[in-house]
């Protein structure tokens, strides 16, 4: 591809510039002016197809399994996405009128790959230039035009290797999860490891045992002053008083030479100290200095937006993307904290103007990158331009979340070039000898305080903090009295305080992103999408701001840890990222790296060999988690449940129940399922099944059950007897040989949901027979249309064809007459009240995606969605008939079918009149 140095540029003519997004093209178009035509590719134009969509002749080749040619250096088989064919045609048409082509996609691996795909598909015959910039401003674009370069094929190789790697990983391991845990699950190179992090933290919380400890605190006042201050007991008889950090997660004291105070002794000591004579034993002053935090990287931006603005990682990146594309901030995917000289000067100039020259240090601040592999975008996230716009200057253009995030970025950037905060820290140690429960004793208290004398960068910005286990109250800005050694003090309110050690805090999106960065798992461009994926897959849910793993995630992680150990190992995963970085630097070839990963060598088995030699995996064992003696949690097809193997006595019937089950509430976090809670759930679980009697019409047994979706009654269909199977008619092949006997199709049992006023324990056989007889036919209207009455999700209703009408109570189902029904249908149907309230229905969480199932009113009628999969409510199913079971079934069917394959009609042939 020609570059500025190797190709002479035409002096005039149209210049076609291609970027990724329409918003970006609009902003760039304003700055480039006449002579430039800016178009957007709208992301990638090509990708790997699903193997099922490959041409028939390729499905049986080495390409067929992954849409990657395993026998030809893992060469990907790319296709233009169906929804991008029109866009490709538009770009080709624009290129015909252009004299030059500028590929101006982002400067990271993804942007480089998009540019390469554009070259491969458009096949330009005009000079091509690679143009990159970190911000969309007039100055930045002018600099970019003066620094054109070649396409970086190493970056392309790294992105392509990552894309193939993720497909190999997902397509080989995911089917194992389908077979042994549940359909619809997925494994991913980064998502599986991050899911493991959340599960491991929850295991630590489940194994945690709290320990209690006591300490003392009091209020002290110098005799010559009324300036009181609080102090805590630091040591007793020369031993440091135990605090939370002196106990391990098993509740055991691990601190050496510490005094572990119990409640009784702590209260006795507090009582004895009320009359003790306290004196100041030491007073120490130290200077205090605090440096500002570095400018934002992608990771720290997501963390701080989560702490201060309560943004999710996904929301942060979406808002940042809009700010970047509209020219307000620099490129938001970066692991570099460096600032350009122009940015440093802008920040220092603005800090001096707004806060004073004394708030700006003489020397410029330079921040080293924490990541050794920081390379792709060489600058931190900051306000765009060689001079920054203040929040007040953009307030008219930016609203809501965009303004909040811009203000956060502006504050952090300006503060990073401001002076240190200055002050002093004072520590007072005071003590008293007293007669306590152990005789003559000595107690020493301590208090610290920090006084800020010069705020420095704190005038603009202060960094937020994550929850830290065992953290103490901050001493910042706590003033202490001016005392000296041996000064006497008055003591008041000396009290014993009890404490419990706390378990490791759950991850939040901010702290999990920080953990990913520290372990070198994932890259800036993947943090937000990874967190979104593990929540969309149902592996993790948010409880407030905390991330709570599902029981399905426990099963998935357990299987991966036992059978794919390396592939969820933190160091192994970080090593893969390092390998991709080496490819991006040209230090390694992607094809060779993939060959080692997939096929292995003498030292490593490789993914293919591991999958082919898995051996027998006990699905029941993988999906079982012991909770306490005799009670095990099982992860079933329709969710988690408890199973007891300890025989229990049914107090009502006097029967011995060999095993029992109990559903686990969906909102119960794993660490809350203690042994005591499990026993409680088992003891309060309603019976799963109660025999009511025999249906006189069919002779079949009728039972009442508690199902996952509520209580219901049903009949038991007996299995065919050996005699019935032997007497079944024999079918023959055309050659006269008998066909193997077919497995009899089991009849579908009659069922009926219990009314809200009924329970499994109290429902009678007569009531059950009535419920199973529904729907009840009332008769027909004047036109001969049959009218029925039945029960549904929203209560009892009438149905005539596709016209359904709600009625009063459930009991009316068996009392309403045809005349009553005709009277209801004589009135116009009321739609306004229900249609105006979205959603139309809610059915709880989907067992596959874990997301909420709702029914919404769409352009073409009501549809069911879990936020990922959508399916229109069938025309023959009214809203009153729609149940949770049916909604789950319809979504599952839609997932099995996959996305609708859109076919493009061939253009109609023009009719040409025959020549005479």
């Amino acid at each position: 591809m020609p570059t500025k140095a190797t190709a002479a540029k035409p002096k005039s003519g149209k210049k076609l510039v291609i970027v990724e997004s329409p918003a970006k093209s609009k902003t760039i178009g304003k700055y480039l002016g006449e002579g430039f035509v800016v178009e957007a590719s709208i992301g990638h134009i090509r990708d790997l197809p699903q193997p099922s969509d490959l041409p028939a002749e390729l499905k049986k080749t080495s390409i067929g399994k992954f849409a990657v040619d395993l026998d030809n250096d893992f060469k990907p088989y790319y296709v233009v996405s169906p929804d991008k064919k029109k866009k490709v045609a538009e770009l080709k048409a624009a290129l015909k009128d252009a004299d030059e082509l500028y590929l101006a996609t982002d400067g990271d691996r993804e942007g480089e790959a998009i540019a390469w795909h554009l070259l491969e598909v458009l096949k330009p015959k005009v000079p091509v230039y690679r143009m990159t910039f970190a911000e969309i401003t007039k100055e930045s674009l002018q600099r970019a035009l003066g620094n054109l370069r070649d396409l970086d094929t190493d970056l392309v190789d790294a992105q392509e290797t990552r894309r193939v790697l993720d497909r190999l990983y997902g397509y080989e391991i995911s089917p194992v999860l389908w077979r042994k845990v549940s359909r619809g699950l997925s494994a991913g190179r980064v998502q599986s490891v991050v899911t493991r992090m959340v599960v491991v933290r929850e295991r630590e919380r489940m194994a945690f045992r709290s320990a209690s400890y006591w300490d003392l605190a009091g209020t002290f006042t110098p005799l010559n002053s009324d300036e009181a201050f609080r102090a805590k007991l630091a040591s007793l008889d020369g031993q440091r008083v135990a605090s939370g950090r002196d106990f391990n997660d098993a509740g055991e004291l691990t601190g050496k030479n510490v005094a572990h105070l119990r409640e009784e002794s702590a209260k006795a000591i507090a009582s004895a100290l009320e009359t003790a004579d306290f004196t100041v034993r030491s007073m120490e002053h130290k200077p205090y200095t605090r440096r500002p935090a570095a400018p934002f990287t992608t990771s720290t931006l997501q963390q701080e937006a989560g702490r201060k603005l309560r943004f999710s990682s996904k929301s942060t990146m979406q808002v940042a993307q809009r700010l970047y594309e509209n020219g307000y901030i620099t490129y938001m995917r970066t692991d570099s904290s460096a600032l350009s000289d122009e940015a440093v000067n802008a920040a220092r100039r603005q800090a001096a103007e707004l806060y004073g020259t004394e708030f700006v240090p003489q020397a410029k601040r330079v921040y080293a990158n924490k990541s050794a592999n920081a390379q792709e975008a060489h600058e931190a996230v900051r306000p765009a331009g060689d001079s920054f716009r203040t929040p007040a200057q953009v307030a008219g253009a930016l609203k809501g979340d965009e303004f909040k995030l811009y203000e956060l970025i502006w504050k952090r950037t300006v503060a990073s070039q401001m002076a240190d905060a200055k002050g002093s820290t004072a520590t007072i140690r005071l003590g008293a000898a007293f007669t306590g429960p152990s005789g003559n004793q000595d107690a020493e208290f301590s208090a610290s305080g920090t006084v800020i004398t010069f705020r420095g960068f704190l005038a603009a910005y202060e960094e937020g903090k994550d929850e830290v286990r065992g953290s103490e109250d901050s001493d910042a800005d706590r003033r202490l009295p001016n005392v000296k050694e041996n000064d006497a003090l008055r003591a008041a309110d000396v009290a014993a305080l009890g404490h419990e050690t706390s378990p490791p805090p759950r991850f939040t999106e901010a702290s999990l992103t920080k953990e990913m960065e520290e372990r070198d798992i994932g890259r800036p461009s993947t943090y937000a999408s990874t967190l979104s994926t593990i929540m969309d897959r149902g592996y993790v849910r948010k409880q407030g701001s905390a991330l709570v793993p599902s029981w399905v995630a426990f099963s998935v992680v357990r299987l991966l840890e036992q059978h794919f150990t390396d592939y969820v190992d933190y160091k192994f995963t970080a090593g893969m990222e390092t390998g991709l970085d080496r490819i991006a630097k040209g230090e390694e070839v992607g094809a060779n790296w993939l060959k080692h990963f997939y096929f292995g060598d003498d030292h490593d088995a490789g993914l293919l060999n591991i999958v082919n030699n898995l051996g027998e995996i006990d699905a029941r064992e993988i999906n079982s988690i012991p909770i306490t003696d005799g009670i095990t949690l099982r992860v079933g097809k329709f969710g988690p449940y408890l199973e007891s193997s300890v025989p229990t006595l049914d107090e009502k019937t006097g029967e011995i129940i060999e095993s029992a089950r109990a559903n686990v509430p969906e909102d119960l976090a794993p660490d809350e399922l203690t042994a005591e809670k499990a026993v409680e759930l088992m003891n309060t679980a309603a019976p799963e099944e109660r025999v009511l009697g025999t249906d006189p019409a069919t002779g079949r047994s009728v039972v009442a059950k508690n199902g996952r979706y509520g209580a219901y009654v049903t009949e038991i269909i007996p299995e065919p007897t050996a005699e019935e199977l032997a007497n079944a008619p024999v079918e023959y092949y055309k050659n006269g040989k008998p066909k193997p006997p077919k497995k009899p199709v089991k009849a579908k049992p009659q069922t009926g949901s219990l009314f809200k006023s009924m329970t499994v324990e109290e429902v009678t056989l007569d009531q059950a027979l009535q419920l199973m007889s529904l729907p009840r036919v009332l008769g027909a209207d004047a036109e001969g249309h049959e009218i029925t009455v039945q029960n549904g999700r929203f209560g009892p209703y009438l149905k005539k064809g596709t016209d359904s009408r709600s009625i009063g109570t459930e009991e009316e189902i068996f009392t309403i007459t045809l005349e009553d029904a005709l009277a209801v249908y004589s009135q116009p149907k009321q739609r306004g009240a229900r249609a105006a309230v979205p959603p139309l229905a809610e059915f709880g969480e989907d067992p596959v995606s874990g997301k909420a199932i709702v029914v919404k009113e769409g352009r073409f009628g009501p549809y069911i969605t879990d936020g990922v999969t959508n399916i229109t409510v069938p025309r023959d199913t009214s809203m009153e008939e729609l149940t949770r079971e049916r909604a789950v079934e319809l979504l599952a069917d839609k997932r099995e079918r996959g996305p609708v394959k859109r076919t493009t009609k061939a253009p109609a042939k023009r009719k040409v009149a025959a020549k005479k």
Side-chain angles (χ1 to χ4, degrees), residues 240-466:
R240 181 173 58 82
V241 175
S243 62
R245 65 177 180 270
D246 293 308
F247 298 87
N248 62 20
D249 285 353
E252 300 165 340
L253 181 66
T254 55
K256 302 298 183 182
N257 194 30
V258 294
H260 181 198
L261 288 184
R262 311 285 182 177
E263 180 179 6
E264 184 179 351
S265 59
K267 288 182 176 180
I269 293 170
S271 178
L273 286 172
E274 288 181 353
T275 57
D277 297 323
F278 282 88
T279 58
V280 175
R281 293 183 173 175
S282 67
M283 182 73 178
E284 184 180 14
H285 291 273
K286 289 183 179 180
Y288 171 87
T289 301
R290 184 175 169 187
R291 291 172 55 84
F296 280 133
T297 62
T298 301
S299 171
T300 54
L301 175 63
Q302 291 176 14
Q303 293 172 45
E304 197 73 341
R307 298 185 194 107
K308 290 184 177 290
L309 306 179
R310 301 301 182 207
F311 286 4
S312 67
S313 296
K314 183 177 181 180
S315 296
T316 300
M317 295 308 290
Q318 288 174 337
V319 175
Q321 179 84 33
R322 294 197 295 271
L323 290 174
Y324 165 65
E325 290 176 344
N326 288 290
Y328 288 99
I329 65 171
T330 54
Y331 190 53
M332 65 288 159
R333 293 188 179 92
T334 173
D335 44 14
S336 171
S337 55
L339 291 176
S340 65
D341 289 340
E342 293 83 3
V344 170
N345 293 334
R348 289 171 60 84
R349 185 168 58 248
Q350 207 155 58
E353 292 171 355
L354 295 173
Y355 302 102
T357 55
E358 68 274 18
F359 282 82
V360 182
Q362 290 186 350
K364 298 178 180 181
R365 290 192 183 276
V366 178
Y367 294 91
N369 292 317
K370 290 184 179 180
S371 172
N373 295 310
Q375 56 165 334
E376 294 177 356
H378 300 288
E379 195 169 2
V381 185
R382 62 165 177 84
D386 292 350
S387 60
F388 300 158
R389 287 166 283 185
T390 66
Q393 291 172 324
V394 301
L398 299 178
K399 302 295 182 184
D401 291 348
E402 291 181 1
F403 177 80
K404 291 177 183 177
L405 192 63
Y406 180 83
E407 183 182 42
L408 187 70
I409 294 169
W410 178 86
K411 285 181 176 180
R412 177 82 165 223
T413 307
V414 172
S416 73
Q417 289 300 317
M418 292 175 67
D420 296 340
K422 299 284 188 179
S424 64
T425 299
T427 301
I428 297 178
R429 285 195 170 268
L430 53 142
F434 68 101
T435 303
S438 300
N440 294 330
Q441 295 186 263
D442 184 84
E444 189 168 274
F445 285 67
S446 175
S448 296
T450 299
V451 177
I452 303 296
T453 57
F454 176 68
R455 292 189 59 77
F457 74 91
L458 293 176
Y461 177 83
E462 184 169 6
E463 187 178 25
K465 295 181 179 179
D466 290 318

Side-chain angles (χ1 to χ4, degrees), residues 154-166:
D154 291 330
L155 285 182
V156 176
D157 190 18
Q159 190 278 338
E160 185 170 83
T161 302
R162 182 203 61 79
R163 182 72 183 93
V164 174
L165 170 67
D166 288 343

Side-chain angles (χ1 to χ4, degrees), residues 328-615:
Y328 288 99
I329 65 171
T330 54
Y331 190 53
M332 65 288 159
R333 293 188 179 92
T334 173
D335 44 14
S336 171
S337 55
L339 291 176
S340 65
D341 289 340
E342 293 83 3
V344 170
N345 293 334
R348 289 171 60 84
R349 185 168 58 248
Q350 207 155 58
E353 292 171 355
L354 295 173
Y355 302 102
T357 55
E358 68 274 18
F359 282 82
V360 182
Q362 290 186 350
K364 298 178 180 181
R365 290 192 183 276
V366 178
Y367 294 91
N369 292 317
K370 290 184 179 180
S371 172
N373 295 310
Q375 56 165 334
E376 294 177 356
H378 300 288
E379 195 169 2
V381 185
R382 62 165 177 84
D386 292 350
S387 60
F388 300 158
R389 287 166 283 185
T390 66
Q393 291 172 324
V394 301
L398 299 178
K399 302 295 182 184
D401 291 348
E402 291 181 1
F403 177 80
K404 291 177 183 177
L405 192 63
Y406 180 83
E407 183 182 42
L408 187 70
I409 294 169
W410 178 86
K411 285 181 176 180
R412 177 82 165 223
T413 307
V414 172
S416 73
Q417 289 300 317
M418 292 175 67
D420 296 340
K422 299 284 188 179
S424 64
T425 299
T427 301
I428 297 178
R429 285 195 170 268
L430 53 142
F434 68 101
T435 303
S438 300
N440 294 330
Q441 295 186 263
D442 184 84
E444 189 168 274
F445 285 67
S446 175
S448 296
T450 299
V451 177
I452 303 296
T453 57
F454 176 68
R455 292 189 59 77
F457 74 91
L458 293 176
Y461 177 83
E462 184 169 6
E463 187 178 25
K465 295 181 179 179
D466 290 318
E467 176 190 355
V468 179
R469 183 165 49 155
S471 60
E472 302 292 337
D473 294 337
S474 173
D475 292 326
D477 294 329
R478 181 192 296 172
R479 289 183 177 272
L480 296 177
N482 186 18
V483 294
K484 60 182 181 299
E485 195 172 324
N486 296 323
D487 279 358
L489 301 167
R490 292 189 300 270
D493 302 326
V494 178
L497 305 174
H499 307 276
E500 295 282 331
T501 55
S502 56
R506 285 197 178 97
F507 284 114
T508 62
E509 288 197 40
S511 61
L512 186 55
T513 299
K514 182 179 181 181
E515 186 80 3
M516 291 167 64
E517 182 182 37
E518 289 178 350
R519 291 185 179 274
D520 209 17
I521 291 170
R523 282 293 176 261
S525 59
T526 67
Y527 294 149
S529 60
T530 298
L531 295 181
S532 179
T533 297
I534 64 175
M535 286 187 273
D536 291 343
R537 294 284 187 267
Y539 295 145
V540 174
R541 64 179 173 86
K542 291 186 76 171
Q543 185 172 289
S545 61
L547 299 177
V548 182
S550 66
W551 289 109
V552 169
F554 274 73
S555 294
V556 168
V557 169
R558 188 176 183 183
L559 186 150
L560 294 176
E561 286 175 335
Q562 290 183 8
H563 300 280
F564 296 93
T565 307
D566 281 348
Y567 299 91
V568 285
D569 179 79
Y570 304 140
K571 290 184 179 179
F572 181 85
T573 305
M576 285 195 282
E577 292 291 356
T578 302
L580 293 172
D581 290 335
R582 287 177 56 81
I583 295 168
K585 295 175 183 177
E587 298 171 356
E588 197 160 349
V589 178
N592 296 338
W593 192 83
L594 287 170
K595 182 178 180 181
H596 175 267
F597 170 81
Y598 190 64
F599 292 117
D601 53 29
D602 295 338
H603 305 288
D604 297 304
L607 179 60
L608 179 62
N609 292 324
I610 291 174
V611 172
N612 289 341
N613 295 282
L614 279 176

Side-chain angles (χ1 to χ4, degrees), residues 755 789-798 805-813 880:
F755 288 174
V789 61
Q790 49 199 299
N791 209 4
R793 166 79 174 172
F794 303 100
Y797 66 98
L798 299 168
R805 305 293 179 91
S806 296
I807 60 174
T809 64
E810 291 176 318
E811 284 68 23
E812 287 184 51
I813 291 176
E880 290 81 4

